[in-house]
Amino acid sequence: MTNSIVKTIFLALTFVSSMIHCQEKLSDKYNLMPWPQEIQSNANRVKIAKDFTISINKKEGRVYNYATNIIRRITNRTGVFVDQGFPLLNDKNATVRVSFDEVAELKLGVDESYELDVNNNFVEISAKTDIGALRALETLVQLIDHNENSFFVNGVVIKDNPRYGWRGLMIDVSRHFHPVEVLKRNLDAMASMKMNVFHWHLSDDQGFRFKSDTYPKLHELGSDGLYYTKPQIRDIVSYANKRGIRVVPEIDVPGHATAILAAYPELGSKDGYDYKIERFSGVFHPTLNPINPKVYTFLDNLFAEIVPLFPDVYFHIGGDENEGKHWDENHEIQKFKNKKGFKNNHDLQTYFNIKLQKILAKYDRKLMGWDEIMTDGMPKSAIIHSWRGVNEGFKDGTLIEAVKKGYQAVLSNDYYIDRVQSVDHHYLFDPAGDVPLTKEEESRVLGGEVTMWSELVTPLTVDSRIWPRTAAIAERFWSSKEVKDLKSMRKRLAVVSFQLEELGITHLSYRNQLLRNIAKSKNTESLELLTAIFEPLKIYTRNEGGTEYKTFSPFTLFADACVVDAEDAYNFNLLVDSYSDNPTTEKSEELKGYFSKWKEGHAKFKKLKNNPILNELGNHYENLSKVSSIYLEILKGGSLSKSKGNEIKETIEKLKKPMVDTELVIVSGMEKLLKKLKKEGSIK
Amino acid sequence: MTNSIVKTIFLALTFVSSMIHCQEKLSDKYNLMPWPQEIQSNANRVKIAKDFTISINKKEGRVYNYATNIIRRITNRTGVFVDQGFPLLNDKNATVRVSFDEVAELKLGVDESYELDVNNNFVEISAKTDIGALRALETLVQLIDHNENSFFVNGVVIKDNPRYGWRGLMIDVSRHFHPVEVLKRNLDAMASMKMNVFHWHLSDDQGFRFKSDTYPKLHELGSDGLYYTKPQIRDIVSYANKRGIRVVPEIDVPGHATAILAAYPELGSKDGYDYKIERFSGVFHPTLNPINPKVYTFLDNLFAEIVPLFPDVYFHIGGDENEGKHWDENHEIQKFKNKKGFKNNHDLQTYFNIKLQKILAKYDRKLMGWDEIMTDGMPKSAIIHSWRGVNEGFKDGTLIEAVKKGYQAVLSNDYYIDRVQSVDHHYLFDPAGDVPLTKEEESRVLGGEVTMWSELVTPLTVDSRIWPRTAAIAERFWSSKEVKDLKSMRKRLAVVSFQLEELGITHLSYRNQLLRNIAKSKNTESLELLTAIFEPLKIYTRNEGGTEYKTFSPFTLFADACVVDAEDAYNFNLLVDSYSDNPTTEKSEELKGYFSKWKEGHAKFKKLKNNPILNELGNHYENLSKVSSIYLEILKGGSLSKSKGNEIKETIEKLKKPMVDTELVIVSGMEKLLKKLKKEGSIK
């Protein structure tokens, strides 16, 4: 028997029954995310020292460059001065020995499996494809641990492969433009979380971001000078490919087309309409005219220019949120509908979509579109991108409908991270859900995509909106359905979130940058403290009606410095729960710690030189300080009189009101604590 | 009389005698840098509110885009939601009204003058060229101030123009590669300091960074995959041009050519030599062979490829630090030298340079080179880039020699910011110095260039090495020679340094990013405190012999998180001076504040989970804490016994030793304080 067969049998015997269920225990030791399919702990440790080397079995493919970056990341993290800055070839004594069978063509369904084995003094990685090896190298980096004397790779045997083949992140570069470096660092972060599709939302009402030679007015009149050139697109696609990430472009038509029509109004459905780049957010009326043959010539020529830049077989044509108002107002379009016997605008849009599908087929591309495209007549080769679910009145969501109808589908509903909801919410949402599906139907669930719509997001803040929540969703896409323990996820997420900074993700560093600007001072401690208990308003309430903010409004505000899952708030609320169940002196001390911090924070805040931005925070901070003082007094043994109780209540009511587009998320905890304190009388 | 003539006379009368000498007083109110040539204060205030607008007199040229960015910067800084996100044209009611006469061709000597007048409720800017208008807009942004109710432009009348036409920053992208976004944000920062030349050091022993189609091995074998494509270079040059910044490329030959020779060894001077990309720092032997005709064909073809990307007339050929060792070892080269009657390798290099000058002339380019090129026979059309001065044994520096010989010259000696010296040092160094020069000679001093050599500098740390010191040097290049008050400079520098972050400069945010990595924790307070009193080792002692660090060594270390002019150290040392002159209770309290901070810092430091990187800081921190405790005790009224005095002395001796490539820069202050305390006996 060969070595590898022995190992396979060994793995099979060991893993089958036990390992997934051990995740909670093993995740104390290993901060892996996404959690691997099969994992077994061992006591080995491979030290990272001067003589650390990575060897690969061939230079062809993606591994050589990737492993070079892995060496940089390891030395940067550990401060170790290695002698070998580049991978070796077929070195039998290397610290990390990587082998893969073939260089993969990057496409949907590519083999990404790998095995990783930490032996006594070396690490062995094997994979069928080079892409599998990249996934293994990310696992390797996550296995690095340290004691006070050295850094080392923690012992483990892993056999891993993804649950879903489509694990995507969409970035909207229209509402706010995101330059090449923003995309590159996010591609790095995606790769670190083993994600493999970057969906590039290139056009919308607020901007058309592709520099076309055929239709130069698109970028000249439709982009405010913010667009990608062809070399930049090639650069991004190649950068992604090197990381095993496919790139799917989206040109959103026939709706969401204001920027296109600002450049070529003759393609619009409403004659004489004054098309101008949209500055607000929302759903707008400008729509391509589906009965104008020039529209199809335009799209044909445009696609002909775009397609060669994107080797992937899928092309996203958007197709969402066309309310057809401008179609209804156009007499010719109505006549056409009647003539064709179309019952409604959906039928007309299907007519439009099928024309597009044929254009794309000419260029060997398959159509993908938001779930509105799922109408009778749409060929089954199309991928349905499901964005509407229970919130939009669909009982089981459009994904289930799609796979039952025979379409392949990708889920984004409930992975809308711009809704500013807790990571727990997104994490627990399973792409296939619990609706019974046949094996065949199940196989048509390709996976999911996180969507970063960027109405309220700039290059400075975008990372903080995507990360770390997307890491947990990436686990949902990669790991077994059974991996869903929130405590384990939160614990591991905290570690990988910290490490994302190594890749240039700014979700940690951006905050003080914003706070310095708000405070006009380097003394941002008192504000930092607030950002740990305030969160931006959720589910689009920050920008009610889409008209509070324009695309050029400042996004350097307190709400931008706040993030969802505010750390202190989360821990405080948990602490109150635990205290309510079982009050101990220790917990009381911890509670006092929070209230003191908030009280002292206000004292520090008052020392800052006031300015119009700070001004807006003053009242709330004062109320927070006031209520903290009373809690402190009571927790220190003072009595909870009726008047104090009322004062707390009244102040909390005030604190419940949104402040500059944020909400204080400790109020529920404070209320619960008040209840508990009332029940007990005063607490010593 | 027209309005503008009246104004001119008024300005002339008011300014001539007085304003420069008032700089110290005016600089209390205005945080302008570089300081303008003529400035007069007034009491006007123009409020920044929702209705804020900028109008320009024509859309052609650079101002429209630039002003758009200015609006973004103003709204981001102030949080004001303006209605107009883009400049208006010829709007007589605009808040800021910009007019310029002509769109300039960007070249050496272009008119950059402007006038800026803050009236009662609007700001008037006028300039001869669009580039002058850009300079004025930067002044406008620096004039923004606030009280607690609003942001406003501070009243002033300014008439300004640069002292020197060449105000450059060189970035070495060879020793460490710096991606496009690093260069772009630095171009933004340069423009904000009214700098106008970006010198792009594209090649050296450690890497050749231009993707050549003619000689693809250059980037394939000479760059480790880190290079600029032509579209990227065009992008940078265009980005710079839009900001009124010329770009001068440098291909360093015949020395510093290891990366070229790693690709094309046949062009080298030593047959059979194993040329490999250099990983260390220093001066190396690989040199192009000046008697091989293929070398000139190579350079001719290469320059033919590079020149069209850079519209500027100057082309930098390096020419520095060729010790000629490989020439000496080559028999054929020696024979050639004898045949030609060359006395030494300098003569041979002159032969080489003049051939290059002729090649460049074919492409309408003028040669620029480091001061070694200044040999007999070098045409006077060449620009001498002076880098050697007193340190290198030149009494008056090579700049003076050059302009006396009839060359135009640019000074970099003493603007070598990689030497990690205090800003005061660079600031006080005047390009023309005090050597008497004729008017003509003086006119040949074109200006100066800050040089950012990047042996020890990565994209993560480079901003912290360039800024803020370069802002003060930019003032040296722009402002009058008489503007040299260190206190005023330091005061204004602190403000502009703070504001540089608005442009994406990472010199403030990078630090905590590094410290988080060092501490493996978000609790970096105790380390931050150290970075305010430790500085990286100076004048190349950090990397003695060039062999401690390789290009791929980690630059995520404590020394990288430290910067020159450490803030607390500077203030502490000043405080000790002041206390020594005149000890007061208040100053004693301040001193106690420092010592308490350092003592408490150590207590916090000990709470961090130890790791190998932190380990190295522990000893020094403990000694700092120890000595701080004793000082505290004495300052609180304890007696200064002989044993305590000795303990302080001994501990300071230990603290004088470098720690992980940094030095503690409060030791001089601590020693001075000890002396004072000894003199006085114990202090109450």
Side-chain angles (χ1 to χ4, degrees):
Chain A
M1 259 192 315
T2 68
N3 217 340
S4 92
I5 295 179
V6 172
K7 202 162 79 189
T8 306
I9 292 176
F10 163 76
L11 284 170
L13 290 174
T14 324
F15 287 142
V16 166
S17 64
S18 63
M19 284 309 131
I20 284 163
H21 302 97
C22 280
Q23 188 237 332
E24 281 168 50
K25 217 171 139 190
L26 283 173
S27 72
D28 285 349
K29 180 170 176 188
Y30 303 103
N31 289 305
L32 296 168
M33 182 168 276
W35 193 253
Q37 302 297 345
E38 300 180 9
I39 172 167
Q40 193 187 17
S41 181
N42 69 40
N44 293 332
R45 281 187 174 183
V46 174
K47 205 173 151 183
I48 314 267
K50 208 169 130 62
D51 60 357
F52 175 87
T53 50
I54 296 182
S55 171
I56 59 180
N57 67 326
K58 42 181 168 269
K59 211 177 166 176
E60 294 73 39
R62 299 170 178 87
V63 185
Y64 185 85
N65 282 327
Y66 207 89
T68 304
N69 287 337
I70 291 283
I71 296 172
R72 300 290 170 277
R73 282 162 63 188
I74 290 177
T75 58
N76 283 343
R77 188 193 294 182
T78 61
V80 170
F81 284 62
V82 298
D83 289 328
Q84 282 292 343
F86 297 86
L88 305 170
L89 282 174
N90 284 309
D91 186 296
K92 290 197 159 60
N93 299 311
T95 321
V96 178
R97 302 166 198 172
V98 183
S99 68
F100 59 94
D101 299 341
E102 58 188 57
V103 175
E105 188 199 334
L106 183 63
K107 58 181 180 187
L108 180 59
V110 68
D111 192 306
E112 298 177 90
S113 66
Y114 69 91
E115 295 183 30
L116 184 151
D117 191 342
V118 179
N119 290 277
N120 201 21
N121 50 17
F122 68 96
V123 181
E124 201 176 353
I125 284 172
S126 58
K128 184 143 185 265
T129 68
D130 57 342
I131 294 175
L134 311 189
R135 307 302 178 231
L137 287 169
E138 292 296 341
T139 300
L140 174 79
V141 170
Q142 291 187 348
L143 287 169
I144 295 175
D145 203 346
H146 70 269
N147 56 27
E148 62 179 89
N149 298 315
S150 67
F151 290 91
F152 48 81
V153 182
N154 249 329
V156 79
V157 182
I158 284 171
K159 204 176 164 187
D160 203 6
N161 62 277
R163 178 179 173 210
Y164 289 117
W166 193 297
R167 307 181 305 282
L169 168 64
M170 186 212 76
I171 299 182
D172 165 13
V173 297
S174 173
R175 274 62 176 254
H176 279 97
F177 181 70
H178 296 288
V180 166
E181 72 268 19
V182 172
L183 303 183
K184 283 189 175 174
R185 68 188 187 226
N186 276 285
L187 287 166
D188 281 323
M190 286 173 69
S192 80
M193 292 301 132
K194 301 183 170 58
M195 298 177 86
N196 67 359
V197 180
F198 168 48
H199 168 183
W200 203 347
H201 185 79
L202 282 164
S203 79
D204 215 304
D205 299 303
Q206 293 81 355
F208 189 90
R209 307 302 183 190
F210 168 67
K211 182 176 187 274
S212 166
D213 294 322
T214 319
Y215 298 105
K217 282 192 206 164
L218 285 171
H219 67 271
E220 286 166 9
L221 302 176
S223 80
D224 300 314
L226 300 169
Y227 52 78
Y228 306 99
T229 63
K230 282 179 190 164
Q232 286 176 326
I233 290 176
R234 279 193 206 98
D235 185 24
I236 286 290
V237 171
S238 147
Y239 195 89
N241 184 302
K242 286 176 184 160
R243 284 147 184 81
I245 297 173
R246 300 160 46 217
V247 183
V248 174
E250 177 183 352
I251 300 296
D252 201 351
V253 286
H256 288 286
T258 313
I260 295 175
L261 296 174
Y264 297 97
E266 62 272 25
L267 304 177
S269 299
K270 189 163 176 176
D271 275 354
Y273 190 81
D274 186 17
Y275 296 104
K276 276 183 185 163
I277 298 180
E278 188 56 56
R279 305 296 174 196
F280 290 113
S281 304
V283 178
F284 303 97
H285 303 313
T287 314
L288 300 185
N289 183 347
I291 69 163
N292 182 350
K294 282 184 187 158
V295 165
Y296 300 102
T297 313
F298 167 81
L299 290 173
D300 193 340
N301 291 336
L302 185 64
F303 291 177
E305 211 184 339
I306 295 176
V307 157
L309 302 170
F310 295 92
D312 202 74
V313 75
Y314 290 100
F315 191 105
H316 204 302
I317 55 104
D320 55 321
E321 297 187 317
N322 171 26
E323 296 176 348
K325 187 156 177 287
H326 280 193
W327 289 357
D328 293 339
E329 292 171 12
N330 181 317
H331 185 64
E332 294 299 319
I333 292 178
Q334 290 312 311
K335 253 173 48 187
F336 181 86
K337 267 169 67 180
N338 291 336
K339 202 177 106 193
K340 288 273 182 180
F342 293 159
K343 278 178 298 216
N344 49 37
N345 287 335
H346 271 288
D347 288 354
L348 184 55
Q349 190 165 343
T350 304
Y351 167 85
F352 173 85
N353 289 339
I354 290 177
K355 287 208 155 218
L356 259 55
Q357 187 257 329
K358 284 184 182 142
I359 293 172
L360 288 172
K362 273 203 318 190
Y363 302 115
D364 293 321
R365 291 297 181 271
K366 291 181 183 173
L367 183 146
M368 177 169 184
W370 300 102
D371 55 27
E372 285 95 333
I373 69 160
M374 182 170 47
T375 49
D376 296 341
M378 176 54 65
K380 296 293 185 283
S381 60
I383 288 184
I384 305 303
H385 193 167
S386 167
W387 72 277
R388 291 176 302 175
V390 178
N391 286 322
E392 291 78 17
F394 292 77
K395 197 181 142 260
D396 296 324
T398 55
L399 179 104
I400 300 299
E401 187 189 335
V403 299
K404 290 202 166 177
K405 279 189 174 160
Y407 292 99
Q408 293 188 305
V410 169
L411 187 67
S412 276
N413 175 33
D414 264 300
Y415 306 125
Y416 267 47
I417 50 173
D418 63 319
R419 289 166 65 93
V420 206
Q421 290 173 285
S422 165
V423 64
D424 297 356
H425 172 85
H426 302 297
Y427 184 68
L428 292 179
F429 202 84
D430 193 81
D434 296 321
V435 180
L437 292 176
T438 66
K439 265 233 147 118
E440 221 189 302
E441 286 163 356
E442 214 167 305
S443 75
R444 288 197 285 266
V445 179
L446 298 179
E449 254 188 36
V450 174
T451 49
M452 180 73 269
W453 299 107
S454 70
E455 282 89 346
L456 303 181
V457 160
T458 67
L460 190 58
T461 62
V462 64
D463 292 7
S464 75
R465 272 48 192 154
I466 300 176
W467 307 102
R469 288 179 301 158
T470 293
I473 308 176
E475 172 159 294
R476 175 61 45 241
F477 299 158
W478 176 284
S479 305
S480 158
K481 193 174 177 177
E482 282 71 45
V483 175
K484 58 181 180 188
D485 181 74
L486 288 178
K487 209 175 138 194
S488 157
M489 178 274 283
R490 287 256 186 180
K491 180 250 175 192
R492 291 175 292 118
L493 185 63
V495 177
V496 304
S497 170
F498 189 83
Q499 290 168 351
L500 279 170
E501 190 165 30
E502 293 171 4
L503 298 164
I505 295 296
T506 62
H507 65 314
L508 298 179
S509 60
Y510 94 107
R511 174 175 286 170
N512 272 312
Q513 190 172 338
L514 285 190
L515 296 182
R516 279 189 285 271
N517 184 55
I518 291 170
K520 308 296 170 204
S521 161
K522 287 182 192 167
N523 299 322
T524 55
E525 214 186 325
S526 65
L527 294 179
E528 221 178 315
L529 206 146
L530 286 192
T531 60
I533 48 177
F534 278 86
E535 295 185 4
L537 292 182
K538 293 176 181 53
I539 317 184
Y540 307 143
T541 51
R542 180 173 175 187
N543 191 21
E544 207 87 59
T547 56
E548 288 180 58
Y549 289 83
K550 292 182 178 168
T551 48
F552 52 75
S553 295
F555 292 93
T556 48
L557 306 173
F558 180 69
D560 300 297
C562 293
V563 297
V564 71
D565 296 315
E567 209 174 325
D568 281 359
Y570 180 77
N571 292 324
F572 172 80
N573 290 333
L574 278 185
L575 178 61
V576 170
D577 286 347
S578 155
Y579 180 86
S580 298
D581 289 345
N582 173 25
T584 66
T585 318
E586 204 181 27
K587 291 174 197 167
S588 170
E589 285 305 313
E590 260 189 87
L591 285 169
K592 280 190 237 168
Y594 280 109
F595 290 117
S596 302
K597 190 155 95 168
W598 297 328
K599 197 181 142 185
E600 285 158 24
H602 184 238
K604 280 182 193 153
F605 175 82
K606 284 193 293 185
K607 282 187 194 154
L608 291 171
K609 191 188 159 201
N610 210 348
N611 71 46
I613 315 174
L614 282 184
N615 247 344
E616 296 178 307
L617 312 177
N619 262 348
H620 250 57
Y621 214 155
E622 197 172 337
N623 283 327
L624 174 65
S625 168
K626 190 169 144 191
V627 82
S628 297
S629 296
I630 308 178
Y631 275 114
L632 261 179
E633 213 180 291
I634 301 166
L635 287 165
K636 279 178 181 164
S639 67
L640 173 56
S641 63
K642 200 173 170 188
S643 74
K644 270 182 203 158
N646 285 340
E647 207 178 342
I648 289 182
K649 258 194 191 165
E650 274 165 32
T651 316
I652 288 180
E653 282 312 308
K654 284 179 197 160
L655 288 170
K656 273 184 185 168
K657 286 186 192 132
M659 169 188 80
V660 288
D661 292 345
T662 63
E663 54 180 340
L664 182 63
V665 286
I666 50 170
V667 283
S668 61
M670 290 205 293
E671 283 180 330
K672 191 167 183 180
L673 181 60
L674 182 62
K675 233 185 227 166
K676 176 71 181 171
L677 294 174
K678 270 187 179 163
K679 221 188 222 166
E680 302 206 340
S682 79
I683 303 295
K684 295 265 149 14
Chain B
M1 257 189 320
T2 70
N3 216 340
S4 91
I5 297 179
V6 172
K7 202 162 81 189
T8 308
I9 292 176
F10 163 77
L11 284 169
L13 289 174
T14 323
F15 287 144
V16 165
S17 64
S18 63
M19 286 307 133
I20 284 162
H21 302 97
C22 281
Q23 188 237 332
E24 281 170 52
K25 214 170 143 193
L26 283 173
S27 71
D28 285 348
K29 179 171 177 189
Y30 303 103
N31 290 304
L32 295 169
M33 181 168 277
W35 194 253
Q37 302 297 344
E38 300 179 9
I39 172 168
Q40 192 188 15
S41 182
N42 68 40
N44 294 332
R45 282 186 173 184
V46 174
K47 205 173 151 183
I48 314 267
K50 209 169 133 56
D51 61 355
F52 176 87
T53 50
I54 296 182
S55 171
I56 58 180
N57 65 328
K58 42 181 167 267
K59 212 176 166 177
E60 295 73 41
R62 299 168 178 88
V63 183
Y64 185 85
N65 283 327
Y66 207 90
T68 304
N69 288 336
I70 291 282
I71 296 172
R72 299 290 171 278
R73 282 161 64 189
I74 291 176
T75 58
N76 283 342
R77 188 193 292 182
T78 61
V80 170
F81 284 62
V82 297
D83 289 327
Q84 281 293 343
F86 298 86
L88 306 170
L89 283 174
N90 285 308
D91 186 297
K92 289 196 161 64
N93 299 310
T95 321
V96 178
R97 302 166 198 173
V98 184
S99 68
F100 58 95
D101 298 341
E102 59 188 56
V103 175
E105 189 199 336
L106 184 63
K107 58 182 183 187
L108 179 59
V110 67
D111 192 305
E112 298 176 89
S113 66
Y114 69 90
E115 296 183 28
L116 184 152
D117 190 342
V118 179
N119 290 277
N120 200 23
N121 50 15
F122 68 96
V123 180
E124 200 176 356
I125 284 173
S126 57
K128 184 140 185 267
T129 69
D130 56 342
I131 294 175
L134 310 189
R135 308 302 180 231
L137 286 168
E138 292 296 342
T139 300
L140 173 79
V141 170
Q142 291 188 348
L143 287 170
I144 294 175
D145 203 344
H146 70 269
N147 56 27
E148 62 179 270
N149 299 314
S150 67
F151 290 90
F152 49 81
V153 181
N154 249 328
V156 78
V157 182
I158 286 171
K159 205 177 163 186
D160 202 8
N161 62 277
R163 178 178 174 210
Y164 290 118
W166 193 297
R167 307 180 304 280
L169 168 65
M170 186 212 76
I171 299 182
D172 165 14
V173 298
S174 173
R175 274 62 175 252
H176 280 96
F177 181 70
H178 295 288
V180 166
E181 73 268 20
V182 172
L183 303 183
K184 282 190 176 176
R185 68 186 187 228
N186 276 285
L187 287 166
D188 281 323
M190 286 173 69
S192 80
M193 292 302 132
K194 301 182 170 59
M195 299 177 83
N196 67 0
V197 180
F198 168 49
H199 167 182
W200 203 348
H201 186 79
L202 282 163
S203 79
D204 215 302
D205 299 303
Q206 293 82 355
F208 188 90
R209 306 302 182 191
F210 168 68
K211 181 174 187 275
S212 166
D213 294 322
T214 319
Y215 298 104
K217 283 192 205 166
L218 285 171
H219 67 272
E220 286 166 11
L221 302 176
S223 80
D224 300 314
L226 300 170
Y227 52 79
Y228 306 98
T229 62
K230 282 179 192 166
Q232 286 176 325
I233 291 175
R234 278 192 208 100
D235 185 24
I236 286 289
V237 171
S238 147
Y239 195 89
N241 184 301
K242 286 177 186 159
R243 285 148 184 81
I245 297 173
R246 300 160 46 216
V247 183
V248 174
E250 177 183 352
I251 300 295
D252 200 351
V253 287
H256 288 285
T258 312
I260 295 175
L261 296 174
Y264 297 97
E266 63 272 24
L267 303 178
S269 298
K270 189 162 178 178
D271 274 354
Y273 189 82
D274 186 17
Y275 296 103
K276 275 183 185 162
I277 298 179
E278 187 57 55
R279 305 297 174 195
F280 290 114
S281 303
V283 177
F284 303 98
H285 302 313
T287 313
L288 299 185
N289 183 345
I291 69 164
N292 182 350
K294 281 183 187 158
V295 165
Y296 300 102
T297 311
F298 167 81
L299 290 173
D300 193 339
N301 291 336
L302 185 64
F303 290 177
E305 212 183 341
I306 295 176
V307 157
L309 302 170
F310 296 92
D312 202 75
V313 74
Y314 290 100
F315 191 106
H316 204 300
I317 56 103
D320 55 321
E321 297 187 316
N322 170 27
E323 294 176 350
K325 188 156 176 288
H326 279 192
W327 289 358
D328 293 339
E329 291 172 12
N330 180 318
H331 185 62
E332 294 298 319
I333 292 178
Q334 291 311 310
K335 252 174 49 189
F336 181 86
K337 266 168 68 178
N338 291 337
K339 200 176 106 194
K340 288 274 184 179
F342 293 159
K343 280 178 299 219
N344 49 38
N345 286 334
H346 271 289
D347 289 354
L348 182 56
Q349 189 164 343
T350 305
Y351 167 84
F352 173 85
N353 288 340
I354 289 176
K355 287 207 156 221
L356 259 54
Q357 187 257 328
K358 284 184 182 141
I359 292 172
L360 288 172
K362 274 204 316 189
Y363 302 116
D364 293 323
R365 291 296 181 271
K366 291 181 184 176
L367 183 146
M368 176 170 186
W370 300 103
D371 56 26
E372 286 96 332
I373 68 160
M374 182 171 46
T375 50
D376 295 342
M378 176 53 66
K380 295 292 185 282
S381 61
I383 289 185
I384 305 303
H385 194 167
S386 167
W387 71 278
R388 292 177 301 175
V390 178
N391 285 321
E392 291 78 17
F394 292 77
K395 195 180 145 261
D396 295 325
T398 55
L399 179 103
I400 301 299
E401 188 187 336
V403 298
K404 288 200 167 179
K405 278 188 175 161
Y407 293 100
Q408 293 188 302
V410 169
L411 187 68
S412 276
N413 175 33
D414 263 298
Y415 306 125
Y416 266 48
I417 49 173
D418 63 319
R419 290 166 64 95
V420 206
Q421 291 172 286
S422 167
V423 64
D424 296 356
H425 172 84
H426 301 299
Y427 184 68
L428 292 178
F429 202 84
D430 194 81
D434 296 320
V435 180
L437 293 175
T438 66
K439 265 237 146 115
E440 221 189 303
E441 287 164 355
E442 214 167 304
S443 75
R444 288 197 286 265
V445 179
L446 297 179
E449 254 188 38
V450 174
T451 50
M452 180 72 271
W453 299 105
S454 69
E455 283 88 345
L456 302 180
V457 160
T458 68
L460 189 58
T461 62
V462 63
D463 292 6
S464 75
R465 273 44 192 157
I466 299 177
W467 308 102
R469 288 179 300 158
T470 294
I473 307 176
E475 172 159 292
R476 175 61 44 241
F477 298 159
W478 176 284
S479 305
S480 156
K481 194 174 177 177
E482 281 72 43
V483 175
K484 58 182 181 187
D485 181 73
L486 288 179
K487 210 175 137 196
S488 157
M489 179 273 283
R490 288 254 186 183
K491 179 250 174 191
R492 292 175 291 119
L493 185 63
V495 176
V496 303
S497 170
F498 189 84
Q499 290 168 351
L500 279 171
E501 190 166 28
E502 293 171 4
L503 298 165
I505 294 298
T506 63
H507 66 314
L508 298 179
S509 59
Y510 94 109
R511 173 176 286 169
N512 271 312
Q513 189 172 340
L514 285 189
L515 296 182
R516 279 190 285 271
N517 184 54
I518 290 170
K520 309 297 172 206
S521 161
K522 287 182 193 168
N523 299 322
T524 54
E525 212 187 324
S526 64
L527 294 178
E528 221 177 314
L529 205 147
L530 286 191
T531 60
I533 48 176
F534 278 87
E535 294 185 5
L537 292 181
K538 291 173 182 54
I539 315 183
Y540 307 143
T541 52
R542 178 173 176 187
N543 190 21
E544 206 88 59
T547 57
E548 288 180 58
Y549 288 84
K550 291 181 178 169
T551 48
F552 53 75
S553 295
F555 292 94
T556 48
L557 306 173
F558 180 69
D560 301 297
C562 293
V563 297
V564 71
D565 296 316
E567 207 175 325
D568 281 358
Y570 180 78
N571 292 324
F572 172 80
N573 290 333
L574 278 185
L575 178 61
V576 170
D577 286 347
S578 155
Y579 180 86
S580 298
D581 289 346
N582 172 25
T584 65
T585 318
E586 204 181 27
K587 290 175 196 166
S588 169
E589 286 305 314
E590 261 189 86
L591 284 169
K592 281 190 237 167
Y594 279 109
F595 291 118
S596 303
K597 189 155 98 168
W598 297 328
K599 197 180 145 187
E600 286 158 21
H602 184 239
K604 280 181 194 154
F605 174 82
K606 283 194 294 186
K607 282 187 194 154
L608 291 172
K609 192 188 160 201
N610 211 347
N611 72 47
I613 315 174
L614 281 184
N615 246 345
E616 295 178 308
L617 310 177
N619 261 349
H620 249 57
Y621 215 156
E622 197 172 336
N623 282 328
L624 174 65
S625 168
K626 191 169 144 190
V627 83
S628 296
S629 297
I630 309 177
Y631 274 114
L632 261 181
E633 213 180 292
I634 300 166
L635 287 167
K636 280 180 182 165
S639 66
L640 174 57
S641 64
K642 199 171 173 188
S643 75
K644 270 183 203 159
N646 285 340
E647 207 178 342
I648 289 180
K649 259 194 189 163
E650 273 165 31
T651 315
I652 288 180
E653 282 312 308
K654 285 178 196 162
L655 288 170
K656 274 184 185 168
K657 285 185 192 133
M659 169 187 80
V660 289
D661 292 344
T662 63
E663 55 181 339
L664 181 64
V665 285
I666 51 169
V667 284
S668 62
M670 290 204 293
E671 283 179 330
K672 191 167 182 181
L673 181 59
L674 182 62
K675 233 186 228 166
K676 176 71 183 170
L677 294 174
K678 269 186 180 164
K679 222 189 221 166
E680 302 208 341
S682 79
I683 303 294
K684 294 267 153 9

